[in-house]
């Protein structure tokens, strides 16, 4: 066994967490080897470092909070850090976690290839490393990956674009509408392993329609390198959309019908450009092009409710956080976490065992069911476009 500490308290806390998760509480008695009260409040389970990329996107704040509270409920101490999307900051935060005696690391990387030094040190110290949502690349020192089925997320994004255009119905069957429709393509950050999965998944759906002439991309920009958006920045996407509109659409007869956007932050930049540079009306009903998204960020959920953005992809970060907590606890308990994918996530050095979750397409008419009824956002938050 390669991991350093299998503390009795850690094992007890792990079991307590599992039992608490199953029974909704009352888990303490048979696991409480420390005599320190009920299982949910044990504090000797160890220290877990949680490294998140940025606080500028609300999803990562929610992820960080959910992982922290899940671990704390299981009796662990948590060192949660956000790195302001700055690679040296994230490297330093992870160095500090190792120095401070972390027993496990949960890492959502900024750039999936820049943490090799830190992770080698962690491995040397026997610290298990869980890659959170974004795969850490080019190192053997990553033990497990928790994420969503990222290729499928891209498939869903492209499918929702086709639904918005009218080529597919909501059951994703062809309607017989053959367009032609003009679309433009955006992808995420090229240093984020997920961005390629999203784009490849989306293109697996769109390419046949491009080939058959139902869709065309008037800018001619269809390669990942041409459409990628470094660091997922809203303003970068807005600028690229403005440039495309100015070069290809404004002052011509060419009308843009839809935009593949892989993330809500980018979608908001794209929508700004469409309205203010492209001169498109503010709502889809009036002629705003169909714009997709991802993450069900609250500002974008409101835009969907208001008929401005067409769709987003809901990835329930509460489930992802729970999965990472389960994996960390398994390691600290001397076990291997359960994987449901052992083929798809090759990080350049090895195939990383993964647990992948499912995502859903959000449209205006299922916000209630997917986001409000599930408790992800409240009705007031959707109405105001702000997290409370
Ligand atoms: C990706 C993540 C997406 C989105 C994006 C921008 O790695 O999978 O859900 O959050 O980063 O933050």
């Amino acid at each position: 066994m390669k991991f350093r500490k299998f503390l009795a308290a850690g094992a007890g806390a792990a079991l307590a967490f599992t039992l608490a998760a199953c029974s909704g509480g009352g888990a303490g008695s048979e696991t409480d080897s420390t005599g320190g009260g009920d299982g949910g409040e044990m504090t000797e389970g160890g220290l877990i470092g949680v490294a998140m990329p940025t606080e500028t996107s609300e999803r990562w704040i929610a992820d960080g909070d959910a992982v922290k509270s899940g671990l704390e409920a299981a009796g662990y101490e948590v060192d949660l850090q956000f790195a302001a999307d700055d690679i040296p900051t994230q490297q330093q935060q992870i160095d500090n976690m190792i120095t401070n005696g972390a027993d496990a690391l949960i890492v959502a990387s900024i750039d999936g290839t820049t943490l090799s030094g830190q992770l080698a040190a962690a491995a040397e110290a026997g610290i298990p490393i869980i890659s959170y949502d974004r795969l850490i690349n080019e190192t053997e020192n990553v033990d497990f990956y928790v994420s969503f089925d990222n290729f499928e997320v891209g498939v869903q994004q492209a499918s929702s674009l086709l639904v918005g255009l009218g080529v597919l119905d909501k059951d994703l069957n062809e309607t017989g509408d053959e367009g032609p429709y003009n679309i433009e393509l955006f992808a995420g950050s090229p240093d984020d392993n997920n961005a390629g999965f999203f784009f490849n998944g989306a293109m697996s759906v769109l390419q046949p329609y491009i080939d058959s002439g139902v869709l065309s991309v008037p800018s001619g920009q269809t390669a990942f390198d041409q459409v990628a958006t470094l660091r997922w920045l809203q303003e970068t996407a807005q600028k690229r959309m403005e440039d495309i509109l100015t070069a290809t659409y404004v002052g011509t007869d060419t009308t843009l019908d839809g935009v593949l956007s892989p993330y809500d932050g980018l979608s908001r930049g794209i929508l700004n450009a469409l309205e203010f540079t492209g001169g498109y009306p503010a709502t889809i009903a009036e002629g705003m092009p169909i714009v997709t998204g991802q993450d069900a960020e609250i500002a974008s959920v409101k835009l969907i409710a208001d008929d401005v953005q067409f769709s987003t992809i809901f990835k329930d970060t509460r489930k992802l956080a729970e999965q990472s907590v389960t994996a960390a606890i398994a390691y600290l308990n001397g076990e291997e976490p359960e994987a449901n994918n052992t083929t798809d996530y090759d990080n350049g050095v090895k195939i990383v065992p993964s647990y992948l979750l499912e995502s859903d397409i959000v449209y205006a008419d299922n916000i209630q069911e997917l986001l409000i009824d599930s408790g992800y956002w409240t009705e007031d938050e959707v109405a105001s476009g702000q997290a409370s």
Side-chain angles (χ1 to χ4, degrees):
M1 276 286 157
K2 73 189 258 228
F3 300 120
R4 180 175 46 169
K5 294 180 188 168
F6 305 121
L7 300 177
L15 187 53
F17 175 80
T18 311
L19 293 174
C22 298
S23 67
S29 51
E30 67 269 64
T31 61
D32 187 6
S33 56
T34 63
D38 101 18
E41 286 167 14
M42 294 166 87
T43 53
E44 291 173 321
L47 173 66
I48 309 216
V50 180
M52 290 283 150
T54 178
E55 278 174 299
T56 55
S57 156
E58 74 210 358
R59 79 147 284 189
W60 296 114
I61 301 174
D63 284 277
D65 288 347
V67 174
K68 185 169 191 284
S69 56
L71 287 168
E72 286 176 349
Y76 292 87
E77 258 186 86
V78 178
D79 180 5
L80 169 63
Q81 301 292 335
F82 294 88
D85 260 341
D86 182 57
I87 294 165
T89 302
Q90 187 165 60
Q91 291 170 329
Q92 198 179 13
Q93 288 172 339
I94 296 173
D95 282 336
N96 290 343
M97 289 170 186
I98 297 168
T99 311
N100 293 340
D103 296 292
L105 294 176
I106 297 175
V107 179
S109 58
I110 297 164
D111 177 327
T113 61
T114 55
L115 297 174
S116 302
Q118 284 64 36
L119 300 188
E124 181 73 11
I127 302 171
I129 297 145
I130 295 160
S131 190
Y132 187 95
D133 196 55
R134 298 172 172 176
L135 185 62
I136 299 171
N137 282 320
E138 305 301 338
T139 171
E140 66 184 296
N141 300 315
V142 49
D143 296 292
F144 199 72
Y145 179 46
V146 292
S147 191
F148 290 82
D149 183 338
N150 295 303
F151 187 91
E152 181 60 23
V153 168
V155 167
Q156 291 176 325
Q157 289 169 335
S159 301
S160 74
L161 177 62
L162 293 173
V163 171
L165 294 172
V167 174
L168 299 181
D169 64 24
K170 283 209 176 140
D171 296 324
L172 308 185
N173 297 314
E174 288 185 336
T175 60
D177 181 346
E178 296 193 337
Y181 293 110
N182 292 327
I183 62 166
E184 295 296 339
L185 307 171
F186 283 73
S189 194
D191 55 7
D192 177 348
N193 192 65
N194 287 350
F197 274 83
F198 301 147
F199 189 67
N200 291 339
M203 291 310 276
S204 75
V205 174
L206 298 179
Q207 192 64 53
Y209 291 99
I210 295 174
D211 293 343
S212 69
V214 173
L215 301 177
S216 76
V217 185
S219 71
Q221 298 177 19
T222 55
F224 179 78
D225 290 350
Q226 294 174 301
V227 305
T229 314
L230 185 64
R231 292 284 119 74
W232 299 93
L233 284 175
Q234 172 169 343
E235 50 271 33
T236 305
Q238 181 162 338
K239 174 80 171 58
R240 180 166 165 262
M241 188 75 252
E242 287 167 357
D243 291 347
I244 289 174
L245 287 166
T246 309
T248 310
Y249 294 87
V250 176
T252 75
D253 291 341
T254 310
T255 303
L256 182 58
D257 301 302
V259 181
L260 174 78
S261 167
Y263 161 58
D264 287 343
L266 304 191
S267 312
R268 294 194 293 273
I270 291 163
L271 287 161
N272 285 339
L274 291 171
E275 188 171 354
F276 300 113
T277 302
Y280 290 93
T283 66
I284 298 168
E286 297 166 311
M288 175 62 92
I290 301 300
V291 178
T292 64
Q294 174 175 200
D295 282 352
E297 292 201 335
I298 193 60
S300 294
V301 174
K302 177 171 167 51
L303 290 174
I304 293 170
D306 290 347
D307 194 41
V308 179
Q309 182 174 322
F310 183 69
S311 60
T312 188
I313 306 301
F314 175 42
K315 307 197 307 192
D316 193 333
T317 52
R318 297 168 300 187
K319 292 187 185 156
L320 183 59
E322 190 182 310
Q323 205 51 54
S324 74
V325 169
T326 302
I329 290 174
Y331 280 123
L332 293 178
N333 207 15
E335 294 160 4
E336 290 292 320
E338 183 199 333
N340 65 5
N341 185 299
T342 50
T343 51
D344 289 348
Y345 284 91
D346 184 340
N347 81 343
V349 175
K350 69 180 196 184
I351 294 180
V352 183
S354 307
Y355 195 99
L356 305 180
L357 296 157
E358 288 176 9
S359 51
D360 293 294
I361 305 175
V362 177
Y363 306 103
D365 64 8
N366 64 9
I367 289 174
Q368 177 74 38
E369 179 197 334
L370 286 177
L371 301 176
I372 299 177
D373 293 350
S374 74
Y376 198 73
W377 297 120
T378 66
E379 213 156 337
D380 287 348
E381 287 170 324
V382 173
S384 67
Q386 285 183 339
S388 55

